[in-house]
Amino acid sequence: MAGVDPDDCCRGAHAAAQRGEFTQATVWDACRTGIRDAIESQLDDEQASPVIIDGLPTIGKTQHATDIAFGLDVPAAILTHRYETRDEHLNLAAEHQKTVAEIPTLDRDCPTRRGDHGSGWAERINDYRSRGASPTYLHYYLQDALPCMQDGDCPYLARWDAVEGADVVIGGPAHAALDRVVDDRVVIFDEDPGTAFRTEFDANQLSTAISTFLRRNDDLPVDNHFGLIGAATNESMDAIRDAIRDELSDNISIASPREAVDDDDGHAEAPTAVLAMLELGGPIIGDTAPAEYDWDDQLREEAGLDYVELPDGSQVVYDHAESRIIIRRPPDLTDSRAVVGLDGTPVEELWRGRLGVDDIESWRILCDDCRARYLRDVIGYTFVQTTSHVKPYSSGEYVNRRADFGLIEAVENRHETAPGVITTKSAAERLFEESPSEPFIDIQRVTNRIADVKHYGALRSSNDFTGTEVGIVLGSPHPGDRPLQITAALEGYTAVRDDEGKGTDLDYGIPDRPFLRHYREHKIAQAVLRFGRTTAATVYIHTGVLPEWLAEMVTAGPETVMIDERSEGQRGVIRALLDEAPGTAAEIAKRERVSIGEKQTRDWLKRLRSEGYVSRDDSQPYTWAADGLADAPHTARVRLPDLE
């Protein structure tokens, strides 16, 4: 690993050897040094590759990035998704003497977009933005009409002056596409830029945007989407194809923001889509690919996708099954002084493609052994894995409300504190918003026992569960085959599901499964480490797919956990005892809420007594009464491991 003494297993161990102790401060020092060394290696050598700092959540990457950026002799840009994280960087910047500026955004800085001049104008601006027009372009193109431009420049434009001269600027990943943000600066991406540089057209949007663009441009020899497909697939139309290429490929950037504002159906990336369809059209309908393009037969035949890189550097994937295209336009970072990414669970293949760089290095702050030492011994995490099953919860289809509610109630009982819960968005809706189809499954009873619910998609850089002592991660995320295949195709890989591999053995035929790990195991790890963070926490992980390094830290595994779902009959007995007076088995069996006979009722009462939730007197026949039953997990009998 670059920059580390070969006798040390990782930067954390190296820092500990120098200090003579392995503490949180030691690991934070290692992270700070790693970020600084990554920047200096590129400042000292223009040929050095960009670097990803592979550092777990909890080791202070955000604070270190701010401190280091202000300590540099060159300007810097820190780019991160969430406004909350940008505010954190800005607050930390107050401790430094150099100038700092937040890169303006429409959401925060444009009165028109904020709705100060009415919802009609706000919706109009939103519509233009959704069709690819940049904020700056909109203000200059519409300046005579925009309310925020009537008394001088809109605050959005005015605040760019401060950006131009600031020592450190703070904004979002999409700002990396602007030369005035990244040129001659050290650029620090605080977390993976994700889909910041992607545009997607579904079949209807694609056809409409292309036809609108062709109809408006008299210099092009076809005037609608079908004409373009004909030109792409007809061998006799070489001259037409060449004319379209000549007209579009001469531009530095094929994209045209004017297309987004001159027609209700236009889009700034319509010219890109036209040129992409011209290059991709041959194999979509015809049998023979154009001779000038080297098609990836495996990608087309096995995954049903095609890929092309256009002259302006934009990359396009075409999805045959859904007739849609995905356009990615990576930023040009060639004139940046240095580029560093901060990521708790990085995948090099994704970082390379998303930043548009040929090579990138990943520097790990902690090796697997030191990660375990840090998380368990220093921070004080305890991890309990409650199932060996994958629990694919992204669609919500496989959510098991009885088992999940039982686990939540049992965890709250054990720790006597409300746990935080992280699951997929669909699972959260299914669990806590949809009415149960079975009797006596009480959503309110469960939500009263949890601190908060978040879904995987809302966790990027989130600190919402910092300090939460108990957490539960329910189910695993997976976007579905198509999003994963498209992500892989953009990075030059063909991802095809192996029919033999399912569950924990799911495989897409790519060594080390980088894209599956990114979408599934890595998101689980990020979720798990949202709890506690700087303080000890116990986290229950209700899925069987964990990164190997995290699986090795599990204190208690699925074999130590029992979740026995309660039937409708047993739930009815619990409800009857909670809502009505004590009674004999025969009396309870006759109550309206109970759907089972006297013998089964007696058997369930005995089981509840063995669990410690029901008592009986010494009379004959016995009279049964609730005894702590209000605290019992009502949808499942749950046994958790003793963690003392």
Side-chain angles (χ1 to χ4, degrees), residues 339-488:
V339 178
V340 174
L342 311 178
D343 196 340
T345 50
V347 173
E348 289 185 30
E349 293 86 346
L350 289 173
W351 274 95
R352 266 199 308 271
R354 289 171 177 178
L355 297 188
V357 298
D358 294 330
D359 192 24
I360 200 163
E361 293 185 21
S362 181
W363 292 7
R364 292 190 71 180
I365 302 302
L366 297 172
C367 65
D368 287 352
D369 288 343
C370 288
R371 281 180 172 182
R373 189 177 174 191
Y374 175 69
L375 293 174
R376 290 190 309 202
D377 300 341
V378 176
I379 301 298
Y381 276 105
T382 299
F383 303 119
V384 180
Q385 188 177 359
T386 58
T387 180
S388 58
H389 299 290
V390 173
K391 300 283 184 182
Y393 274 17
S394 282
S395 68
E397 180 181 357
Y398 300 106
V399 168
N400 186 331
R401 187 182 259 124
R402 284 186 286 174
D404 294 347
F405 278 6
L407 177 62
I408 291 170
E409 290 190 278
V411 168
E412 195 271 345
N413 284 346
R414 167 63 61 86
H415 294 275
E416 298 181 338
T417 187
V421 174
I422 295 172
T423 187
T424 69
K425 185 175 183 179
S426 294
E429 292 171 353
R430 184 80 173 268
L431 287 169
F432 305 114
E433 296 177 20
E434 294 182 11
S435 297
S437 58
E438 300 177 81
F440 188 39
I441 294 182
D442 189 341
I443 294 177
Q444 190 64 48
R445 175 188 173 106
V446 176
T447 55
N448 287 341
R449 295 188 174 202
I450 57 180
D452 198 2
V453 180
K454 298 291 181 184
H455 59 86
Y456 285 105
L459 288 178
R460 192 197 305 268
S461 300
S462 170
N463 294 322
D464 291 345
F465 284 127
T466 296
T468 301
E469 297 177 357
V470 181
I472 305 172
V473 175
L474 292 175
S476 65
H478 188 294
D481 289 349
R482 216 55 182 155
L484 189 148
Q485 289 176 313
I486 289 169
T487 297

Side-chain angles (χ1 to χ4, degrees), residues 7 28 68 76 79 88 90 125 167 196 215 229 266 272 337 422 427 454 484 514 517 523 553 637:
D7 292 333
W28 278 48
I68 290 167
L79 307 178
E88 185 178 352
L90 289 167
I125 294 295
D167 296 312
R215 186 175 62 249
I229 292 176
T272 311
R337 300 291 298 274
I422 295 172
K454 298 291 181 184
L484 189 148
R517 283 190 289 111
K523 290 189 182 301
M553 298 182 204
R637 179 188 181 193

Side-chain angles (χ1 to χ4, degrees), residues 189-207:
F189 290 89
D190 190 354
E191 299 294 342
D192 172 9
T195 58
F197 311 116
R198 276 173 55 165
T199 301
E200 182 171 331
F201 293 89
D202 65 24
N204 290 333
Q205 293 167 333
L206 179 63
S207 181

